Amino acid sequence: MNYSIFVTRSIPEAGIEVLKKSCASVDINQHDRVLSKSELIEKVTGRTGVLCTISDTIDVEIMNAASNVKGFANYGVGYNNIDVVAATVRNIMVSNTPGVLTDATADLAWALLFAAARRIAESDAYFRKGAWKGWGPMQFLGADITGKTLGIAGAGRIGENMALKSKGFGMTVLYASRHENTRMEQELGARRVALEELLKKSDFISLHVPLTDKTRHYIGPREFGLMKPSAILINTSRGPVIDETALVKTLREKRIAAAGLDVYEDEPMPKPGLTDLANVVCAPHLGSATQETRTRMAVMAAENLIAMIQGKVPPNLVNPEVVPRFPEGGPH
Ligand code: DGY
């Protein structure tokens, strides 16, 4: 019970309640912003555990300051913000929140796909500024979705859910992935292809790969060159998966039709020129942002953290390599 926890941002109360039941001290960042490195170092010092978010950089400096911390519970499924290797060598556990945000993130990918295909953001802006003078046969013509080809890059939970939701639209589904996804193939009729083929044949391309050294700029000038001029690119994974400067150029020159983005290379800043373009729909990293999903994430992250500080294996451990090194009774 003598546990001292730091929570780097305000999260739904249900998660805080879970923490308070087991911990003597739960300190929450009261600013509605990401803490600076020095603020974070000060806050993690002497803590037993930290509940952090995808915008906190948890690197070696933070871990050195957090010498009593038994675990970092990330509030998010992606954990590229945490130096997991550095955590593992220090026997610090890291957890994430998989599964609970799958539907919400795939739903947002679909929302961006619809918005980009049917030019919703662009026509909403036109309507709001009072420019609309009445119905017109050639106004804001977009693209059909039903019966088209959807290319999904990354066949994990969210990519698979994207494929599942395409069934109502009678789409042909291609996917590119390091691993075969038999459920996608057998139950959803998806076909695994090389990325090149997916880029050449898809009308809509939706990215669902994690950010790693291998997927940084996974989509760049060469890949844009393979896409159809009518292609629409959707990204709800991580910004650096796309070379955003090359995307701006490609969209400006109308070498693909449009993009729907939830994530950016240098969040929160878009690359120069991105927001001047009419053929891009931009959401501010809202993939998991529903009341229900964020509440489930808060509880899940809190439960992971409680397990870690008690020296138990949390339900969503991302560095299982630390477990065999636990001395009997716990990691420290
Ligand atoms: C995640 O969980 O990785 C999402 O990007 C958070 O919204």
Side-chain angles (χ1 to χ4, degrees), residues 54 74-80 97 101 105 158 236-238 262-263 285-289 294 297:
I54 56 164
N74 213 35
Y75 184 77
V77 65
Y79 49 85
N80 53 289
T97 60
L101 46 70
T105 308
I158 303 172
T236 54
S237 63
R238 285 292 182 263
D262 187 42
V263 288
H285 204 148
L286 296 178
S288 61
R294 288 278 166 91
M297 288 167 64

Side-chain angles (χ1 to χ4, degrees), residues 177-235:
S177 167
R178 282 184 302 142
H179 306 288
E180 187 182 19
N181 181 326
T182 45
R183 216 174 17 236
M184 263 172 96
E185 297 190 10
Q186 287 164 13
E187 292 172 27
L188 305 173
R191 188 163 66 85
R192 184 169 173 221
V193 294
L195 180 65
E196 284 73 14
E197 183 177 345
L198 180 144
L199 298 174
K200 282 182 193 160
K201 293 192 172 156
S202 299
D203 299 299
F204 302 97
I205 297 156
S206 191
L207 305 179
H208 301 283
V209 292
L211 176 62
T212 65
D213 289 342
K214 290 203 175 72
T215 60
R216 195 169 292 276
H217 286 194
Y218 179 71
I219 303 294
R222 190 184 85 86
E223 289 72 26
F224 289 124
L226 296 172
M227 294 178 192
K228 297 181 185 187
S230 57
I232 294 180
L233 176 67
I234 307 300
N235 191 13

